[in-house]
């Protein structure tokens, strides 16, 4: 394995385990986070903590961004001196979930500075980040994806899905499926419970049939146990569904299912569930049915 100088910008729920895996693989790592204490957790694994994002990237061969949303990516890359501090030839791998048009815009602006860009959002949550089993959906030039692949393979299974922005399209498709499946599992369990069945036993009974899914197993388990500790935030799921709808409008694509689930997650957030796990859509549906 070629040891690289890697920078990770954003060491929160997802960025921290990603950075830790890269440290443990032997890469030279510099990290930055808006809240410095979250970055300093990585000192024990050999990382260096930078004071600013621009300082963090100045010697990097590859920069991984795991920031909250498109506005945060825009602010860090182009508002805090990162783009200007990057060496020509550096590869930026943006693993945040943002709008496809934002990814295309960032790629074009970085390419004008001689910097390569791959949009590579992920699915799999904190468990996938910790275990190195993330699904990574990458958009950009094939040769840039090939450069990033040895690093991405430390984090999960990476697939090149098309040009700049295509990784974000794939992630939005993923989030659409996740949203609908969380809603289906929650409603099905509550439906069974309302009628007098044991929800835990119903989940067990239908596992292995056509209703089987990772959402049924992981999120369904959280619903049965009423454990909605944040792994993937409700507020982030709503952000992703809003991005789905914005992109659908740009494409002239009719998305009635996405429209419904954007509304459901929005109502759940409005009812105080923003900082719970996205499986807490169960709580919103339980409230509607008098099953809190």
């Amino acid at each position: 394995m070629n040891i690289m100088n890697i920078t990770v910008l954003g060491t929160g729920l997802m960025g921290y385990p990603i950075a830790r895996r890269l440290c443990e693989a032997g890469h030279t790592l510099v990290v930055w986070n808006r809240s410095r204490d979250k970055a300093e957790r990585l000192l024990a694994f050999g990382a260096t903590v930078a004071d600013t994002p621009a300082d963090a990237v100045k010697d990097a061969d590859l920069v991984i961004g795991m920031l909250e949303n498109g506005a945060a990516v825009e602010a860090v890359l182009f508002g805090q001196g990162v783009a200007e501090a990057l060496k020509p030839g550096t590869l930026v791998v943006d693993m945040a979930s943002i709008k496809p048009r934002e990814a295309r815009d960032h790629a074009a602006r970085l390419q004008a500075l001689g910097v390569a860009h791959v949009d590579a959002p992920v699915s799999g949550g904190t468990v996938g980040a910790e275990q190195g089993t993330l699904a990574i959906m990458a958009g950009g030039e094939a040769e840039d994806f090939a450069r990033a692949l040895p690093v991405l393979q430390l984090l999960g299974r990476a697939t090149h899905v098309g040009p700049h922005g295509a990784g974000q399209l794939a992630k939005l498709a993923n989030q659409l499926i996740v949203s609908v499946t969380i809603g289906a599992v929650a409603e099905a369990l509550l439906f069974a419970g309302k009628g007098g069945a044991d929800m835990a036993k119903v989940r067990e009974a239908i596992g292995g049939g056509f209703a089987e899914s990772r959402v049924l197993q992981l999120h369904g388990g959280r619903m049965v146990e009423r454990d909605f500790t944040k792994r993937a935030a409700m507020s982030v799921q709503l952000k992703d569904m809003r991005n789905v709808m914005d992109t659908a409008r740009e494409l002239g694509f009719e998305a009635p299912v996405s429209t419904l689930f954007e509304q459901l997650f929005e109502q759940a957030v409005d009812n105080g569930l923003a900082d719970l796990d996205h499986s807490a859509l169960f709580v919103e549906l339980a409230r509607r049915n008098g099953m809190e």
Side-chain angles (χ1 to χ4, degrees):
M1 181 187 72
N2 292 327
I3 302 301
M4 300 177 66
N5 293 324
I6 300 176
T7 294
V8 175
L9 302 175
T11 56
L13 284 173
M14 295 292 289
Y16 170 75
I18 284 172
R20 178 174 173 174
R21 288 190 65 82
L22 296 176
C23 283
E24 291 173 341
H27 289 292
T28 301
L29 204 73
V30 179
V31 296
W32 172 85
N33 194 75
R34 183 178 58 181
S35 302
R36 185 183 174 93
D37 59 313
K38 292 183 179 179
E40 288 179 341
R41 297 176 296 171
L42 290 153
L43 291 170
F45 301 98
T48 300
V49 177
D51 291 326
T52 69
D55 285 341
V57 305
K58 62 185 180 181
D59 295 318
D61 303 310
L62 186 147
V63 175
I64 291 175
M66 185 52 87
L67 301 167
E68 185 175 0
N69 51 41
V73 176
E74 170 80 16
V76 170
L77 284 181
F78 303 107
Q80 298 187 47
V82 167
E84 294 81 3
L86 292 165
K87 299 180 300 183
T90 302
L91 174 58
V92 173
V93 178
D94 184 9
M95 304 187 87
S97 295
I98 66 176
K99 297 176 184 178
R101 63 174 168 78
E102 290 174 321
R104 292 191 293 268
D105 175 65
H106 297 164
R109 291 158 70 184
L110 290 173
Q111 285 177 325
L113 299 172
V115 173
H117 179 277
V118 170
D119 53 291
V122 304
S123 180
T126 54
V127 173
E130 290 161 1
Q131 296 178 353
T133 58
L134 293 170
I136 305 169
M137 300 146 270
E141 302 294 337
E143 57 267 31
D144 295 328
F145 172 73
R147 284 174 59 195
L149 188 57
V151 172
L152 297 179
Q153 286 175 329
L154 297 171
L155 308 177
R157 176 179 54 83
T159 305
H160 183 225
V161 297
H164 296 294
Q168 298 298 344
L169 278 170
K171 176 59 186 289
L172 292 181
N174 178 89
Q175 293 304 86
L176 196 167
I177 293 169
V178 169
S179 294
V180 172
T181 309
I182 287 174
V185 169
E187 191 165 291
L189 292 178
L190 287 163
F191 169 76
K194 187 77 167 182
D198 182 321
M199 281 190 272
K201 291 297 184 182
V202 169
R203 173 174 163 271
E204 180 183 334
I206 63 179
F210 280 167
E212 178 65 277
S213 70
R214 187 169 176 82
V215 169
L216 176 65
Q217 290 305 316
L218 289 181
H219 296 72
R222 294 168 190 169
M223 293 170 191
V224 167
E225 296 167 5
R226 304 295 202 277
D227 174 12
F228 301 112
T229 303
K230 183 170 64 177
R231 288 91 165 177
M234 180 76 74
S235 58
V236 173
Q237 194 74 29
L238 174 58
K239 178 263 294 183
D240 288 340
M241 291 308 296
R242 286 173 171 166
N243 285 348
V244 167
M245 294 309 302
D246 285 347
T247 303
R249 284 188 285 270
E250 290 171 9
L251 296 173
F253 180 80
E254 185 177 352
V257 175
S258 298
T259 299
L260 171 61
F261 277 86
E262 180 197 23
Q263 293 169 354
L264 288 173
F265 278 97
E266 182 173 55
Q267 288 160 9
V269 167
D270 287 345
N271 286 323
L273 307 180
D275 290 328
L276 298 182
D277 188 75
H278 55 178
S279 58
L281 186 60
F282 178 94
V283 177
E284 172 63 19
L285 295 175
R287 182 192 62 79
R288 292 175 177 223
N289 286 284
M291 300 172 67
E292 295 95 331

